[in-house]
Amino acid sequence: MPTFPVRIDSRLPQVGTTIFTVMSRLAQECGAINLSQGFPDFNAEDVLFERVAHWMRAGFNQYAPMAGVGPLREAIAHKVAALYGTAYDPETEITVTAGATQALFTAVAALVHPGDEVIVFEPVYDSYAPAIELQGGRVVRLQLAAPGYRPDWDAVAAAITPRTRMIMINSPHNPTATVWTADDLAGLAAATRGTGIVVVSDEVYEHIVFDGRRHESCARDAELAARSVIVSSFGKTYHITGWKVGYVVAPRELMAEFRKVHQFNVFTVNTPVQLALADYMADASRHEGLAAFYQAKRDFFGAGLAGSRFELLPSAGTYFQLARYRAICDEPDTAFVERLTRDSGVAAIPVSAFFADGRDERVLRFCFAKNEATLAAACERLCRV
Ligand SMILES: Cc1ncc(COP(=O)(O)O)c(C=O)c1O
């Protein structure tokens, strides 16, 4: 293999392989139970696969319209209106994307100019900062402090400057499993009132909220909806993370800018899958039942760890469970998680990976989107640590 003869001036010099890839690879190497990366180890329903096969056989295998097939955009409009009471126009305000990651990247690329500031809350999902930096934007990091991980609106107000172009939020939140309340949204509305700030609201876990809570979408609040690009993911909702299909809803002015970029970095998402998802979404019980489905898994996992030395933090939503391990050791979380994977056979994610400065609060993130047999086996091993 020839080697590239010139030193590459990297656009992302600090970025290596993500912790999710690293931990999944280590889990595989060690034959460990993989509770690190966030994906289910169970399958979606056959009927969804049948619908994909149906549309393929029926000849729907060529490019879809740039914004997504009509029936899927209609179905998304219907769902969002039914859940959050806001009508988005499928023609001009809804776009189907290649997963949420692409949607987030495209939103940033479309709206952030070099020198603009973008506020994010740490611990933060790993794709946000590189997306901002690639556009020449400046990442302004505010902290969600353990153990409550609530946003501090005074800190937000103090961080806003004339250069603040965007605030990126995520609720239900990965990795902390916290869920924003109506008060949090009111805080965001107050902080951005009278500014030109765009909110990018990552709502990929919108259907996974526990104990009777409701998801506070930015779409619920007319003032916030008017400045928000809202991102969701079918991967999380229908157990198909590998299909990489998601969507964005936004006011038409923002969506017009979004589509200018989308048409050149993706153009369009695969046709038969979109048509199948449109069919599948017609039954609302499929997303309405998701919270109870995952709450049972959260409770099963929690009960299985009751006899362990892990200290579980509250999980109000998402399919993640944070755990402190101060009763076990005081090792850095990266060292401990590696030892846990190698010696005890369970992989997790060290939460320090979600902080730019590697802040280590000695907390691990476990993914409980797994069959009960997987969770039971993991709990048995974790109880021996
Ligand atoms: C908070 C958050 N945003 C975005 C994504 C990416 O979603 P997708 O797989 O649809 O790109 C994930 C996936 O783990 C996530 O946890």
Side-chain angles (χ1 to χ4, degrees), residues 296-343:
K297 291 195 180 295
R298 178 201 65 175
D299 292 345
F300 183 84
F301 187 55
L305 290 181
S308 77
R309 290 191 291 164
F310 288 93
E311 178 194 338
L312 304 188
L313 300 183
S315 172
T318 73
Y319 45 50
F320 301 116
Q321 173 67 64
L322 292 191
R324 283 176 161 155
Y325 55 89
R326 54 190 168 185
I328 299 171
C329 66
D330 189 37
E331 276 175 82
D333 63 358
T334 46
F336 178 59
V337 85
E338 187 173 336
R339 192 161 66 80
L340 192 70
T341 309
R342 290 189 192 284
D343 298 352

Side-chain angles (χ1 to χ4, degrees), residues 262-317:
H262 178 81
Q263 67 188 340
F264 294 122
N265 73 350
V266 173
F267 173 42
T268 183
V269 175
N270 91 69
T271 307
V273 162
Q274 288 195 61
L275 290 165
L277 284 166
D279 294 342
Y280 196 70
M281 281 183 83
D283 182 350
S285 72
R286 292 182 171 129
H287 60 258
E288 286 165 359
L290 202 63
F293 173 79
Y294 275 122
Q295 185 170 322
K297 291 195 180 295
R298 178 201 65 175
D299 292 345
F300 183 84
F301 187 55
L305 290 181
S308 77
R309 290 191 291 164
F310 288 93
E311 178 194 338
L312 304 188
L313 300 183
S315 172

